[in-house]
């Protein structure tokens, strides 16, 4: 131990005697180690970290939890979403799980009024996650304040108006005041009671989402636009269970599938059709690990984060080559010192150990500074990923696993860049080194090593720059790709008609007409239209039937969007044949629709064959009425700019009333100059109609590319950093 301490003291003094060398080496390592630490922190958060709950590895998910939305009809394949009744049956009859919990696959937006506050009467927007009553008990989470609701909340539908607050929301909205516990909050036309607060850091089971509050699923029908849990067997739930001790997911899967085949026939009613019975025969549930929860981020960022880890790994390799070159130069200066130590009895292993000690000291110093750099780089990455209207609530955490990773790569870097120079420097010709006033390391072998290190640094740096250039080029192509509509000069107002007290009837369509009429009169407005979905907001899919069309159901699946007649002019979606929807398409007239070119070509062979034909959406609904195709429009991107050949049907909201979430307004010039006037007009038309936020169609398209933008920008940043470090290292080596 004393010898090691002596080596450390001597190494420390040596580095202080060469401040230029030490500064360049430590800075180079700090940037490389810090970049690796920052990226690994996000890999840890997104890909490796378990849920902050009790015994997460006992948790198992039913199906692919990435599935979201509402599904109906007899299932005919692997099931990912489940109805309230199916959850209750699984919970009651299964033999594999200690207990099961259920979570609404969609987050609900609710509007609160806090009783007794000065702002009372002004609804406040909040994100709510609907969960089964035993949600917190199954996860083993304890309340930070107050208490949680429990399984009793599921016994009667509509009888448990209770709320549990997220810790962040509690702090942001109530300043962590305990007086809110037990107090009433007005929500969805009735009074709800705040029972408690979840612990700090708990976000539920879906990574990347952090709801403001949790509500029992049994209260779903009390929320605007909700369903009847008992009489409307729609599948909208994710199910997670805690396995009994000694059982495997495979055993649980077998048990659940036996139960599934027992319960599905009862859902078909007294006289099921042969087709429905054949469908459910193929239905099944596949179990997946629930330790890391549900994560859309994992599938979106898995490959990009691993790719970035390779990039920053190469950056660290370049840093190691830099420092190795500097150590070779420093060793040349110290040849006489090494010769003297040999002369007085030091062995070669002693010299190598001393040099490795100095390398580890450099790496440790670089690792310490690297943590500071990682903190800044991590915040940059959070900013890049979490910009725009679709911001992701990701945290940058340097936890124990990340710090252990930093220590390991610091030690590894110290050994990697120090080992070869140490062995090379320990080869000393005593006669020449003691006679010469200065050392000479001009042997062809030594010069070749130095040149190889320099060439390797430059080659790796240029390779990273070329890769970054290609990524930037690809990103630029994505930005420029045609979406099928004109995105410039279009304002998008995110409205919430479901929470404003309207039903899907003529009164609701009258509201849309009034808003469109008033907005169209504003100066600078050239067109306007309302729609259920805007760009990259998801989609509603349905199977349809058409006379003379006999195709598999997966081919007959199509996307639906409910729109007003002004939608096509506002987004300037080109027509291929026929006409767009018109205001004259009245509720009492024949039902009409416009379909996309891919719909027409895939189902009817061509646009000419499609116009005038009929199709019936939702072929599982015996009351569904046929629509006549009056026009074929160009394909548009729906979910992302990567979409290809999306089959789409646009249906007039004035003929088929529906809750719409978007008002699109095309303006002349700068959209921001008109936004305030449009907001005032909407509020004047219906003061209870919440406007969640305002954006532009161009920003919606841009926000959907946040992953690609982050990867391109970060790759470019790290590539430029690698080249700069190679230049600095080369300059340091030559000048030293």
């Amino acid at each position: 131990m004393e010898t090691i301490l002596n080596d450390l003291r001597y190494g420390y003094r040596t580095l202080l005697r060469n401040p230029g060398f030490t500064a360049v080496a430590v800075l180079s390592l700090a940037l490389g180690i810090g970049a690796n630490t920052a990226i690994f922190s996000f890999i840890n958060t997104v890909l490796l970290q378990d849920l902050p709950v009790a015994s997460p590895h006992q948790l198992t998910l039913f199906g692919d939890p990435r599935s979201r939305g509402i599904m109906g009809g007899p299932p005919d394949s692997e099931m990912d979403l489940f109805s309230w009744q199916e959850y209750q049956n699984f919970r009651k009859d299964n033999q594999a799980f200690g207990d099961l919990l259920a979570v609404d696959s969609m987050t609900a937006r609710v509007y609160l009024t806090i009783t007794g506050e000065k702002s009372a009467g002004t609804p406040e927007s909040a994100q709510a996650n609907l969960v089964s009553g035993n949600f917190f008990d199954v996860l083993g989470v304890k309340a930070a304040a107050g208490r949680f609701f429990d399984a009793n909340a599921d016994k009667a539908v509509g009888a448990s108006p209770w709320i549990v607050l997220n810790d962040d929301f509690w702090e942001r909205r109530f300043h962590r005041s305990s007086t809110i516990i037990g107090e009433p909050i007005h929500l969805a036309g009735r009074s709800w009671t705040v029972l408690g607060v979840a612990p700090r850091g708990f976000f539920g089971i879906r990574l990347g989402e952090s709801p403001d509050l949790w509500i029992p699923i049994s209260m779903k029908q009390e929320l605007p636009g909700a369903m009847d849990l008992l009489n409307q067997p729609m599948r909208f739930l994710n199910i997670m269970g805690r396995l009994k001790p000694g059982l495997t997911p495979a055993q649980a899967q077998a048990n659940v599938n036996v139960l599934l085949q027992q319960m599905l026939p009862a859902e078909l009613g007294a006289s099921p059709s042969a087709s429905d019975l054949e469908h459910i025969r193929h239905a099944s549930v596949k179990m997946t690990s629930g330790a890391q929860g549900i994560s859309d981020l994992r599938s979106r960022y898995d490959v990009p984060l691993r790719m970035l880890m390779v990039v920053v790994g190469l950056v660290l390799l370049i840093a190691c080559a830099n420092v190795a070159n500097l150590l070779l130069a420093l060793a040349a200066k110290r040849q006489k010192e090494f010769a003297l130590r040999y002369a007085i009895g030091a062995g070669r292993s002693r010299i190598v150990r001393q040099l490795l000690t100095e390398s580890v000291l450099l790496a440790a110093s670089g690792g310490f500074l690297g943590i500071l750099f990682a903190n800044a780089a991590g915040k940059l990455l959070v900013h890049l990923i979490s910009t725009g209207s679709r911001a992701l609530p990701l945290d940058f955490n340097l936890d124990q696993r990340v710090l252990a990773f930093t220590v390991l790569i610091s030690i590894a870097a110290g050994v990697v860049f120090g080992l070869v120079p140490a062995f090379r420097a320990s080869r000393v010709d005593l006669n020449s080194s003691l006679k010469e006033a200065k050392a000479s390391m001009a042997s062809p072998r030594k010069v070749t090593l130095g040149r190889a290190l320099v060439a390797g640094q430059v080659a790796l740096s240029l390779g990273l720059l070329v890769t970054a250039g290609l990524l930037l080029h690809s990103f630029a192509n994505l930005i420029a790709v045609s979406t099928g509509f004109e995105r410039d000069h279009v304002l998008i107002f995110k409205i919430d008609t479901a929470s404003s007290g309207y039903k899907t009837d003529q009164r609701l369509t009258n509201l849309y007409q009034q808003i469109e009429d008033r907005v169209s009169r504003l100066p600078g407005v050239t067109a306007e239209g309302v729609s259920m979905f805007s760009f990259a907001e998801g989609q509603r899919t349905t199977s349809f039937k058409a006379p003379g069309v006999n195709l598999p159901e997966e081919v007959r699946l199509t996307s639906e969007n409910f729109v007003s007649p002004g939608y096509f002019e506002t987004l300037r979606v080109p027509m291929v044949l026929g006409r767009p929807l018109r205001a004259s398409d009245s509720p009492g007239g024949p039902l009409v629709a416009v379909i996309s070119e891919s719909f027409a070509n895939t189902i009817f062979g061509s646009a000419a064959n499609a116009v005038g034909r009929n199709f019936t959406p939702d072929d599982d609904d015996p009351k569904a009425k046929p629509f006549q195709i009056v026009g074929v429009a160009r394909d548009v991107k729906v979910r992302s700019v990567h979409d290809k050949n999306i089959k789409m049907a646009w249906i007039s909201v004035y003929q088929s009333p529906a809750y719409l979430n978007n008002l699109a307004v095309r303006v002349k010039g700068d959209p921001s100059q008109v936004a305030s006037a449009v907001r005032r007009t909407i509020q004047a038309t219906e003061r209870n109609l919440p406007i969640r936020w305002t954006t532009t169609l161009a920003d919606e398209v841009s926000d959907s590319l946040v992953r690609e933008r982050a990867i391109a920008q970060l790759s470019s940043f790290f590539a430029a950093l690698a080249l700069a470090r190679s230049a600095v290292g080369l300059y340091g080596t030559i000048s030293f």
Side-chain angles (χ1 to χ4, degrees), residues 39 203 209 286 400 463 498 505 548 623 707 709:
I39 299 302
F203 53 82
E209 295 183 10
K286 182 180 179 180
Q400 292 181 349
D505 53 17
K623 298 181 181 180
R707 179 185 64 178
R709 181 189 297 108

Side-chain angles (χ1 to χ4, degrees), residues 436-448:
E436 294 289 338
K438 59 181 180 179
S440 173
M441 291 188 70
S443 72
R445 193 173 178 186
K446 293 174 182 176
V447 171
T448 300

Side-chain angles (χ1 to χ4, degrees), residues 124 212 320 364 384 452 479 541 626 647:
E124 302 178 32
D212 298 317
C320 290
L384 290 174
I479 286 289
T541 58
K647 298 192 293 293

Side-chain angles (χ1 to χ4, degrees), residues 2-177:
E2 185 177 353
T3 303
I4 294 175
L5 291 176
N6 288 335
D7 286 346
L8 288 172
R9 282 193 291 267
Y10 185 77
Y12 176 71
R13 291 197 299 268
T14 300
L15 296 179
L16 287 183
R17 285 198 301 268
N18 299 277
F21 159 81
T22 303
V24 172
V26 170
L27 180 60
S28 184
L29 288 170
L31 293 174
I33 293 172
N36 278 267
T37 300
I39 299 302
F40 179 77
S41 173
F42 285 96
I43 288 180
N44 179 49
T45 299
V46 176
L47 305 181
L48 305 178
Q49 209 165 55
D50 292 335
L51 289 175
V53 301
S55 304
H57 290 279
Q58 294 179 352
L59 299 174
T60 301
L61 284 159
F62 285 43
D64 183 351
R66 292 175 298 176
S67 295
R68 310 183 75 168
I70 302 176
M71 300 184 68
D76 61 353
S77 58
E78 289 185 355
M79 294 175 62
D80 305 315
L81 297 174
F82 304 88
S83 71
W84 180 242
Q85 286 297 324
E86 287 167 347
Y87 160 69
Q88 298 278 19
N89 291 335
F90 279 136
R91 182 167 183 255
K92 179 180 63 175
D93 297 330
N94 87 87
Q95 303 297 318
F97 295 93
D99 204 352
L100 301 178
L101 64 83
V103 179
D104 194 331
S105 65
M106 300 173 294
T107 301
R109 183 173 292 276
V110 297
Y111 295 87
L112 311 175
T113 301
I114 313 302
T115 306
E117 291 193 352
K118 293 181 179 179
S119 61
T122 303
E124 302 178 32
S125 174
Q127 293 285 350
N129 199 190
L130 278 71
V131 299
S132 57
N134 63 348
F135 176 76
F136 300 100
D137 289 338
V138 175
L139 294 177
V141 178
K142 305 299 181 183
R147 64 180 180 88
F148 294 143
F149 45 74
D150 55 27
N152 291 323
D154 298 337
K155 290 183 176 179
V157 171
S160 305
W162 300 325
I163 290 174
V164 171
L165 302 179
N166 182 302
D167 183 84
D168 289 340
F169 184 67
W170 185 39
E171 180 173 17
R172 183 175 69 252
R173 180 60 184 81
F174 302 106
H175 310 293
R176 309 187 72 82
S177 172

Side-chain angles (χ1 to χ4, degrees), residues 464 492 528:
L464 289 176
I492 302 291
E528 74 297 315

Side-chain angles (χ1 to χ4, degrees), residues 59 75 90 130 136 228 261 295 425 438 451 479 523 573 626 683 706:
L59 299 174
F90 279 136
L130 278 71
F136 300 100
D228 184 344
Q261 289 301 321
S295 177
K438 59 181 180 179
R451 289 175 177 173
I479 286 289
V573 179
Q683 294 296 329
V706 62

Side-chain angles (χ1 to χ4, degrees), residues 380-459:
L380 171 65
L381 184 55
V382 168
H383 175 73
L384 290 174
I385 292 178
S386 301
T387 54
S389 58
R390 298 178 177 88
L392 303 173
L394 279 179
D395 293 325
F396 176 74
N397 294 315
L398 295 175
D399 61 13
Q400 292 181 349
R401 180 183 288 168
V402 176
L403 292 176
F405 171 81
T406 305
V407 171
L408 287 175
I409 63 170
S410 298
I411 294 173
V415 173
V416 166
F417 69 72
L419 196 59
V420 173
F423 277 107
R424 186 60 55 86
S426 65
R427 296 174 182 172
V428 178
D429 185 342
L430 290 179
N431 290 330
S432 60
S433 295
L434 291 173
K435 290 177 182 178
E436 294 289 338
K438 59 181 180 179
S440 173
M441 291 188 70
S443 72
R445 193 173 178 186
K446 293 174 182 176
V447 171
T448 300
L449 176 61
R451 289 175 177 173
L453 287 172
V454 171
Q457 294 173 53
V458 176

